[in-house]
Amino acid sequence: MDERPIGVFDSGMGGLTVLHECLVTLPHEDFVYLGDAARLPYGPRPLPEIRRFAHEIAGWLEGQGVKLILVACNAATSAALPELQESLSVPVIGVIAPEAHAAVQATRNRRIGLLATQATVDAGRYAQLVGTLDAGARLTAVVCPRLVPLIESEDPFGAETTDAVRTYAQPLEEAGVDTVILGCTHYPLIRPIFQRVFGRGVTLVFSAEETAREAAETLARKGIENEAGREGRYRFLTTGDPGLFRRLGERFLQLPLGDVERVSLAELGRAAA
């Protein structure tokens, strides 16, 4: 059995929604989670800059001795996944392919909506993957710059969040979509608002479960699982304020975080050098 931990990273706290499913699917594995809160949000940044950040963090995690890296950030997956898979010695998986596959499987009228950050939409990975899976499917993408700050605010379920979701939903409703991809790991935290706005006739896709299953399958295929029956441990790090990360992070993870360590941007930069 391979006792090395699994590395998970995101621009901040949103990836904890993915980690939650990994903890449920892989309860015997250890995890190291790094949230790059000092440079949050990634969404409005240029893709080359996000790619650099992803290489710094993934290189640092590899240096910590992880056996697999999960990019729990849609923007970083969009910007950097192929390059990370090519340059690192450990397997690397992301969150976009499972969501695209789930959306194509779910849609009945082949009209799919995507709500995401600017960087994720600009990268075009969802459109590419959906087109590969079903050339006849139509993807309508909407950039949602207001959502991440609102979700991380003190009142994520307030009227302002609902108004923002209604605004972003309108072009998707006009396009007649029957399936909507929640293309940011923050968005599941306000899933009840999305469900209220879109109604039961629209399927919401957020594939944390599928991503966790992909991680489990990758470990099994590589023969690097941990011993079954043990209780895994997890470790949390941030480039930002550990106290703020702990307070907001428990909202996303829905589990206690315990101690949160701080890692400097300089240390991450040295790992990529």
Side-chain angles (χ1 to χ4, degrees):
M1 296 293 103
D2 193 326
E3 296 182 354
R4 291 176 297 164
I6 296 168
V8 184
F9 76 88
D10 179 38
S11 58
M13 279 72 96
L16 294 169
T17 59
V18 178
L19 178 61
H20 177 91
E21 295 301 328
C22 289
L23 294 175
V24 172
T25 303
L26 297 162
H28 51 284
E29 296 289 350
D30 294 342
F31 291 87
V32 177
Y33 181 97
L34 197 159
D36 190 12
R39 299 185 287 202
L40 179 77
Y42 279 10
R45 294 180 181 272
L47 290 170
E49 187 174 39
I50 299 170
R51 192 172 299 120
R52 176 171 63 83
F53 295 168
H55 277 278
E56 288 177 358
I57 296 170
W60 185 87
L61 286 171
E62 186 178 38
Q64 296 293 298
V66 301
K67 60 185 175 183
L68 177 137
I69 293 175
L70 169 54
V71 187
C73 172
N74 299 72
T77 299
S78 299
L81 184 64
E83 292 87 353
L84 292 177
Q85 291 173 330
E86 183 177 350
S87 64
L88 298 180
S89 61
V90 296
V92 186
I93 62 176
V95 290
I96 288 180
E99 288 179 342
H101 182 265
V104 169
Q105 293 288 92
T107 184
R108 302 174 301 280
N109 66 5
R110 303 167 87 190
R111 296 182 182 181
I112 298 169
L114 169 65
L115 299 174
T117 64
Q118 187 71 58
T120 298
V121 172
D122 287 348
R125 287 283 293 158
Y126 279 104
Q128 178 186 4
L129 288 166
V130 167
T132 299
L133 294 165
D134 181 358
R138 185 191 309 171
L139 182 74
T140 301
V142 175
V143 176
C144 309
R146 296 169 59 194
L147 288 186
V148 168
L150 286 169
I151 292 168
E152 292 202 354
S153 74
E154 293 298 327
D155 189 18
F157 296 100
E160 189 177 356
T161 305
T162 301
D163 290 343
V165 170
R166 286 199 176 103
T167 298
Y168 298 139
Q170 185 174 350
L172 299 186
E173 291 169 339
E174 292 172 354
V177 306
D178 71 350
T179 302
V180 174
I181 300 170
L182 304 182
C184 173
T185 53
H186 279 69
Y187 297 174
L189 195 72
I190 59 164
R191 186 167 187 148
I193 296 178
F194 287 114
Q195 290 174 327
R196 167 67 173 160
V197 170
F198 283 107
R200 291 190 181 277
V202 173
T203 301
L204 300 178
V205 171
F206 173 68
S207 62
E209 293 181 14
E210 287 86 350
T211 303
R213 279 196 292 270
E214 182 177 347
E217 291 167 1
T218 301
L219 295 177
R221 188 170 61 252
K222 301 287 186 181
I224 53 175
E225 312 102 310
N226 211 332
E227 184 178 1
R230 69 184 292 275
E231 183 176 353
R233 297 167 294 178
Y234 42 80
R235 176 186 175 202
F236 296 99
L237 305 102
T238 181
T239 57
D241 178 353
L244 179 62
F245 185 92
R246 184 186 307 110
R247 181 165 56 83
L248 287 179
E250 290 182 346
R251 183 196 299 175
F252 286 84
L253 187 65
Q254 301 177 56
L255 290 168
L257 265 68
D259 292 335
V260 178
E261 305 167 52
R262 188 176 183 276
V263 58
S264 70
L265 296 178
E267 189 176 348
L268 295 182
R270 287 193 295 270

